[in-house]
Amino acid sequence: MHSRFFLLILIIAGLVVAFVPLSFRPIAPQERTFRIGARQFAYSPSELKVNPGDKVTIQLVSTDVVHGLYIDGYDISIEADPGQTAALNFFADKPGSFRFRCNVTCGAMHPFMIGKLTVGSNQWLYRSIGLSIIAAISLFFIRSTRPSDRQLPITIY
Amino acid sequence: MKRLELLSRILITLAIVGAVGTPLYFWSRTPLIHARIAENGGWTPDVIRANVGEPLHLKLTSDDVVHGFAVGQMDMQSVDVLPGKVTDLTLIFDKPGIYTFYCTRWCGLNHWRMRGTIEVGGSSSDTQPASAPLYVTLKINIDAPHNAPTIPVQKPSALRGQSFSTQLPITNSTNYYRANSPYQVFDELSNTSLTETERWDVAAYLWQSNTTAESLANGQRLYAQNCAACHGENGAGDGVFADDLTALGATLQRSMTGDNKMTMQTPADFTDPKRMMGASPALLQGKILRGGMGTGMPMWGSIFTEEQIWDLIAYLYSFQFEYQK
Ligand SMILES: [Cu+2]
Ligand SMILES: [Cu+2]
């Protein structure tokens, strides 16, 4: 009987993890500026995190040859020569994870010049981690309580 | 009947082949110019021949990164030279001579070394004798240090300077401006009733009165495209290649005079009042025309027109002076 109660708690916990909106920290849109250095064949920083609704400015600073920066999903790009910082402004209105890459041939390893833009806290990642932990616990729990489980219909209700 | 038809068929086929083939033939005959970063050879070929008044067809492609192509001192739009693509270009020269073509997209520390020549043959009616640059006639040693002994305590303002500019013991003219440094103006005003700050303000006013908003904007554009990678976008000598140049200088220990060995390879800081207040436009022009001769400062004499260089110089002083908009 204890076990049934525990199972209920696990199910509720699962539902909470999966569906409760994560709005305990209300996120007001901000203006964010990133200064990204580009050189053959990497960006630094190569990972950007913003919140949905943020007004984002990316300044691209090339330090060797001409590089570009194209953001998948947003379909916008800039190009920078060394000495001429280029700026890209956009509203992060599409949540998710997007790849950005160099769209100017800048040498042999050019196709590997990539980075990542994450818009929004990565909720699905956290939720699925939480859910799998709960699943693991319940699996373990159900296994160990199986014999008593069979008797449950008689004792309860 | 049959033969006539055959004949006309042959004729039509020949006409079509000719119409398509002739331009194709000429296109394939224009040599393809390859662009590579300077370390890997720059332009091949790097000498092109042409004749006055005859169109010169060029095909350009890049073997590595993005480059650009333009001809110095020529009124033309630069074109991009991209890897894996062929750019067509037609040029017409109306004066014989040796022209310099150069890369217009930054492709590394040695980008500015990517240059070649176009030898344009033919006779011309007007051959102006090249006049010696101002620093030569004024006998300025452009390699000597030229720091101003004193510097302004605040940024000199052209607006304030204008109010003192009447009744000055100096005559403002283009020649006067080009031959003197702001410090010389400051010094010449020392026996007037003006305070030191006011004397610097007058210099700012004189400098502004010898340029225009248009020239400054043009200078700024040229500076961003050609100078900022070394001298910094804000003129502070901290461009993206500044550290590379300094490192190169340290390894090469290149020196012309011995005493300023380490600074030889560091791009000049135009925000430094000592340097700029002590430099006349003629001195800066000399440096830009001739280059540093091994310091890392390129020579621009064959690239820019005289007017473009004066515009650049006017812009360089704007890091020091507050101009009214
Ligand atoms: Cu790149
Ligand atoms: Cu180049």
Side-chain angles (χ1 to χ4, degrees), chain B residues 3 17 29 32 40 57 100 115 195 232 235 284 293 296 320:
Chain B
R3 267 172 78 184
V17 167
R29 256 184 34 146
L32 185 62
N40 292 339
H57 299 288
T100 300
R115 293 183 181 176
T195 66
L284 299 181
M293 314 260 276
Q320 294 295 331

Side-chain angles (χ1 to χ4, degrees), chain A residues 38-43 62 64-69 101-107 109-111 113:
Chain A
R39 72 165 45 233
Q40 287 167 327
F41 297 95
Y43 295 107
S62 288
D64 45 22
V65 303
V66 183
H67 291 287
L69 191 153
R101 54 196 159 89
C102 185
N103 60 336
V104 172
T105 312
C106 60
M109 305 290 281
H110 157 71
M113 192 159 163

Side-chain angles (χ1 to χ4, degrees), chain A residues 63-64 79 81-85 104, chain B residues 65-66 105-106 108 224 228 233 241:
Chain A
T63 53
D64 45 22
E79 207 176 270
D81 281 52
Q84 300 169 63
T85 303
V104 172
Chain B
V65 300
V66 176
R105 300 297 301 269
W106 275 90
E233 287 175 89
F241 292 129

Side-chain angles (χ1 to χ4, degrees), chain A residues 4-141:
Chain A
R4 181 141 255 223
F5 178 67
F6 200 66
L7 203 69
L8 199 70
I9 286 189
L10 273 179
I11 289 171
I12 290 172
L15 288 175
V16 166
V17 167
F19 295 111
V20 162
L22 280 175
S23 59
F24 40 82
R25 186 165 46 94
I27 0 177
Q30 295 175 359
E31 282 196 18
R32 286 171 194 268
T33 303
F34 298 96
R35 205 172 163 80
I36 301 187
R39 72 165 45 233
Q40 287 167 327
F41 297 95
Y43 295 107
S44 72
S46 62
E47 290 203 13
L48 310 179
K49 285 201 176 69
V50 301
N51 292 321
D54 282 356
K55 189 170 181 289
V56 185
T57 302
I58 293 178
Q59 294 174 340
L60 188 65
V61 186
S62 288
T63 53
D64 45 22
V65 303
V66 183
H67 291 287
L69 191 153
Y70 170 87
I71 305 180
D72 285 348
Y74 280 83
D75 200 25
I76 45 176
S77 67
I78 35 168
E79 207 176 270
D81 281 52
Q84 300 169 63
T85 303
L88 181 68
N89 296 298
F90 64 99
F91 272 106
D93 50 3
K94 284 178 229 164
S97 216
F98 304 93
R99 194 148 64 146
F100 60 82
R101 54 196 159 89
C102 185
N103 60 336
V104 172
T105 312
C106 60
M109 305 290 281
H110 157 71
F112 301 101
M113 192 159 163
I114 50 176
K116 197 172 92 177
L117 167 75
T118 308
V119 181
S121 54
N122 208 334
Q123 290 197 6
W124 284 112
L125 182 73
Y126 298 139
R127 284 182 203 268
S128 49
I129 289 175
L131 279 179
S132 44
I133 290 173
I134 290 170
I137 293 174
S138 54
L139 207 73
F140 176 75
F141 181 77

